[in-house]
């Protein structure tokens, strides 16, 4: 089970009215390397992975939901006061036609989220290597969004999220070392 | 000490249609180099840790955003 704390993991500030950024940010919401895909991937893989690393997948999968919430807040703030005309200018007319201002799990190109984005192979090394790759891809996606955005307050939150991807990658790499079981054995090959 | 950015100079054809970006870069964050985290590392204060997104300075990877590297042609 989960306990919910009614606050964001890191404060989300948006200083400029620029709905166009919402179109890019939605990549991290419902994209292949987005936070939803990450959370569902890890929380599902953990059932069939050695006990030593189950807790890590639970913790990181949970944190991904906290990130999802931050992205949702950013997108909502950027779009909630936009007129249909402004949404059209921002390239969001197709989204508006289907969803009004509701958030939806699709990527920046409008493709809906699909479970094909994630994998559970049942092989612990294969699954952890996928997780490491997912974190590096998410880090890269944050970099490209930061490059597209000139809102310093929004970028502050995005830089926090980018750093968390680096830490998650580090922990998955350590999980691989734990499963290799050579850690700390002072064995020299 | 490693660097967090690597640079390379891609081939530039005399027939390229656009003005060339002569230097390209990619990021190599600290997690690539550290292996298993050593014990007793120095830590940020809680407030700094929140701002940086990590408790440990060795894992901090600043990302300046646009206006750098290959975003500017020279």
């Amino acid at each position: 089970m989960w306990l919910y704390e009614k606050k964001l993991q890191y404060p989300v500030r948006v200083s400029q009215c620029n709905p166009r950024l919402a179109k890019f940010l939605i990549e991290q919401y419902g994209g292949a390397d987005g936070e939803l895909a990450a959370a569902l991937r890890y929380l599902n893989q953990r059932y069939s992975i050695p006990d030593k690393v189950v807790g890590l997948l639970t913790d990181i999968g949970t944190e991904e939901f906290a990130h999802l919430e931050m992205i949702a807040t950013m997108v909502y703030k950027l779009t909630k006061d936009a007129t249909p005309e402004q949404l059209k200018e921002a390239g969001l007319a197709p989204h508006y036609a289907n969803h009004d201002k509701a958030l939806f799990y699709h990527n920046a190109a409008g493709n809906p989220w699909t479970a094909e984005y994630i994998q559970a192979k049942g092989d612990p090394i294969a699954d952890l290597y996928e997780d490491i790759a997912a974190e590096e891809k998410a880090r890269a996606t944050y970099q490209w969004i930061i490059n597209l955005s000139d809102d310093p307050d929004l970028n502050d939150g995005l830089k926090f999220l980018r750093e968390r991807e680096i830490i998650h990658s580090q922990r998955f790499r350590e999980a691989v070392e734990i499963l290799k079981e050579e850690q700390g054995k002072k064995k020299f090959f | 000490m490693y660097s967090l950015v690597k640079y390379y100079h891609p081939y530039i054809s005399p027939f390229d249609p656009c003005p060339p970006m002569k230097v390209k870069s990619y990021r190599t964050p600290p997690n690539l180099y550290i292996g298993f985290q050593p014990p007793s590392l120095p830590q940020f204060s809680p407030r700094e840790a929140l701002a940086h997104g990590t408790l440990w300075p060795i894992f901090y990877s600043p990302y300046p955003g646009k206006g750098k590297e290959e975003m500017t042609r020279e």
Side-chain angles (χ1 to χ4, degrees), chain A residues 147 159 163-164 170-171 174, chain B residues 31 35 37 53 59 61 63:
Chain A
N147 292 350
K159 285 173 186 176
E163 178 68 33
R164 296 311 299 158
Q170 168 72 18
R171 299 304 172 222
E174 289 171 352
Chain B
N31 58 352
Q37 178 177 339
F59 288 124
S61 161
Y63 186 72

Side-chain angles (χ1 to χ4, degrees), chain A residues 77-147:
Chain A
K77 278 174 178 264
L78 285 164
T79 53
K80 74 186 174 76
D81 298 313
T83 62
E85 201 53 44
Q86 286 172 316
L87 291 173
K88 200 195 282 180
E89 279 168 29
L92 287 166
H95 180 98
Y96 179 75
N98 196 0
H99 306 288
D100 189 1
K101 287 173 188 172
L103 280 82
F104 192 65
Y105 293 114
H106 55 198
N107 68 9
N111 304 115
W113 191 88
T114 161
E116 289 175 13
Y117 288 157
I118 64 176
Q119 182 54 281
K121 210 69 205 171
D123 178 276
I125 300 299
D127 282 349
L128 285 170
Y129 272 57
E130 161 162 331
D131 300 345
I132 292 167
E135 294 293 340
E136 301 297 350
K137 287 189 280 183
R139 169 184 59 79
T141 305
Y142 278 119
Q143 292 171 192
W144 313 154
I145 297 173
I146 291 167
N147 292 350

